[in-house]
Amino acid sequence: MKQRSHSPELPDAVAGRDASEAGAAGGSRTIAPDSPAAIAQAYLILGDLIIPLSAARETVIGRDNAVCDVVLADPHVSKSHAVIYSRGERYFIEDLGSLNGVLVNDARVDGAQPLSCRDRILVPPYLLEFAGRTHARISRMMQSRAELSATPAAGHFAGQLHILNVTDLIQLLNATRQSGILTIVDEERDSAMLAIHRGEILQAQYRGLRGAEAVYALLARTEGQFEFIHGAPPIPSRPMQIPTLTLLLEGCRIMDENADRHRDTRRHSGFETLPPPGTILAAATHFPTPHPLPEPATSPATCPPA
């Protein structure tokens, strides 16, 4: 990845000094715990996906798989849409001249925008959250990572999907560059198998699906159990060529799209107005009186006397 040179032409307040202290030797302000400077390790959260940010290099967000670190496959996203980078312990985001812009907490980004924990970043139509290690999901991920690191190389790592979901599990194996076989049994007792080499998925099988389609279907499972057995996996004749992070991003996008489609279907069919299952419906005790029939325009003719 070509490194961009981030010039020092940031406002004094962004650079860590108040405007009144500009030019004063060594003048610096106190950094509050939630300020951009207090974040030693940062992450982006996109749906079920947790994306670690590197303090040593920039992270480019966009649609072009060849140049972007975080690929968002949507026509509304520019090829190189935005960049996040670190200065010391501070993280900033810049718009790279995108068509639809970048918003942080509903405000359009113009220049170097500092980021704080829990900031909402909109790269239309994707909503991301900027977070540190204290975020609940990231804390759980770090705990699972410690447990995995403590697992002997010849051992196994197992758990429940309602504690560590499929997306977080695959990310964990990817971030720690694990090699082995991941087996998942869902709530319907259907099994999935993923061959993983140094954190990258070589092959996946689930419910008659193979490759990327199997991974996408598996990401939607929220109940079941998993087991990861360390070791060198068998190398398939045609291994998957899609990077694992790209697979997860696309899988999360498909899940969001399916959820939106399901909501639209329910709304258009009127299902959202129905009471929830199990609701006891009371019978009506009063019925409205029907409107009387209109009188005929003329009196009916009488038969002439015989």
Side-chain angles (χ1 to χ4, degrees), residues 127-138:
L127 183 62
L128 304 95
E129 181 182 357
F130 181 78
R133 289 190 174 187
T134 57
H135 191 283
R137 282 191 58 205
I138 295 171

Side-chain angles (χ1 to χ4, degrees), residues 27 47 54-55 66 95 102 116 140 146-147 153 163 204 209 232 246 253 271 291:
S54 172
D95 188 343
V102 180
S116 299
R140 289 197 300 271
E147 294 173 0
I163 297 175
L209 301 172
T246 302
R253 185 194 68 80
F271 285 166
H291 295 291

Side-chain angles (χ1 to χ4, degrees), residues 90-108:
R90 303 163 187 253
Y91 282 84
F92 301 86
I93 187 169
E94 287 187 39
D95 188 343
L96 295 178
S98 67
L99 179 63
N100 291 310
V102 180
L103 283 78
V104 173
N105 300 328
D106 301 325
R108 185 142 186 164

Side-chain angles (χ1 to χ4, degrees), residues 156-169:
H156 72 282
F157 174 64
Q160 302 291 323
L161 293 183
H162 70 271
I163 297 175
L164 186 64
N165 66 36
V166 177
T167 305
D168 288 350
L169 173 60

Side-chain angles (χ1 to χ4, degrees), residues 197-262:
H197 179 63
R198 294 182 180 177
E200 297 296 330
I201 300 174
L202 299 179
Q203 188 54 275
Q205 300 177 19
Y206 178 58
R207 291 186 173 181
L209 301 172
R210 288 179 173 271
E213 296 302 322
V215 176
Y216 300 153
L218 192 57
L219 294 181
R221 313 322 299 176
T222 58
E223 295 291 337
Q225 55 194 16
F226 68 85
E227 181 181 37
F228 180 74
I229 300 177
H230 290 273
I235 306 297
S237 58
R238 298 179 63 185
M240 295 173 58
Q241 301 296 325
I242 307 174
T244 295
L245 182 58
T246 302
L247 271 176
L248 295 178
L249 282 167
E250 179 63 11
C252 289
R253 185 194 68 80
I254 291 172
M255 285 196 298
D256 290 343
E257 190 176 83
N258 290 340
D260 291 341
R261 187 182 300 116
H262 179 67

Side-chain angles (χ1 to χ4, degrees), residues 15-252:
R17 296 186 296 166
D18 294 326
S20 60
E21 297 173 333
S28 62
R29 57 178 178 170
T30 302
I31 303 301
D34 275 343
S35 75
I39 306 169
Q41 175 61 58
Y43 303 82
L44 290 177
I45 299 178
L46 173 61
D48 286 337
L49 192 62
I50 298 174
I51 305 167
L53 299 173
S54 172
R57 61 190 298 273
E58 64 186 20
T59 298
V60 178
I61 303 170
R63 198 178 73 246
D64 191 342
N65 187 54
V67 299
C68 295
D69 303 283
V70 179
V71 180
L72 304 177
D74 188 280
H76 296 90
V77 178
S78 297
K79 288 185 176 181
S80 295
H81 199 107
V83 62
I84 295 177
Y85 59 93
S86 170
R87 234 185 185 191
E89 294 185 343
R90 303 163 187 253
Y91 282 84
F92 301 86
I93 187 169
E94 287 187 39
D95 188 343
L96 295 178
S98 67
L99 179 63
N100 291 310
V102 180
L103 283 78
V104 173
N105 300 328
D106 301 325
R108 185 142 186 164
V109 170
D110 183 14
Q113 169 70 40
L115 293 170
S116 299
C117 286
R118 297 178 294 277
D119 277 352
R120 302 183 313 280
I121 302 171
L122 181 64
V123 178
Y126 294 90
L127 183 62
L128 304 95
E129 181 182 357
F130 181 78
R133 289 190 174 187
T134 57
H135 191 283
R137 282 191 58 205
I138 295 171
S139 296
R140 289 197 300 271
M141 171 83 78
M142 298 303 294
Q143 181 180 358
S144 298
R145 182 169 183 166
E147 294 173 0
L148 180 60
S149 298
T151 302
H156 72 282
F157 174 64
Q160 302 291 323
L161 293 183
H162 70 271
I163 297 175
L164 186 64
N165 66 36
V166 177
T167 305
D168 288 350
L169 173 60
I170 294 176
Q171 285 186 95
L172 177 62
L173 298 175
N174 177 258
T176 54
R177 296 177 61 80
Q178 300 293 322
S179 295
I181 298 294
L182 174 62
T183 303
I184 296 175
V185 180
D186 66 19
E187 68 275 18
E188 298 177 8
R189 310 302 298 173
D190 289 326
S191 296
M193 187 281 293
L194 288 80
I196 299 176
H197 179 63
R198 294 182 180 177
E200 297 296 330
I201 300 174
L202 299 179
Q203 188 54 275
Q205 300 177 19
Y206 178 58
R207 291 186 173 181
L209 301 172
R210 288 179 173 271
E213 296 302 322
V215 176
Y216 300 153
L218 192 57
L219 294 181
R221 313 322 299 176
T222 58
E223 295 291 337
Q225 55 194 16
F226 68 85
E227 181 181 37
F228 180 74
I229 300 177
H230 290 273
I235 306 297
S237 58
R238 298 179 63 185
M240 295 173 58
Q241 301 296 325
I242 307 174
T244 295
L245 182 58
T246 302
L247 271 176
L248 295 178
L249 282 167
E250 179 63 11
C252 289

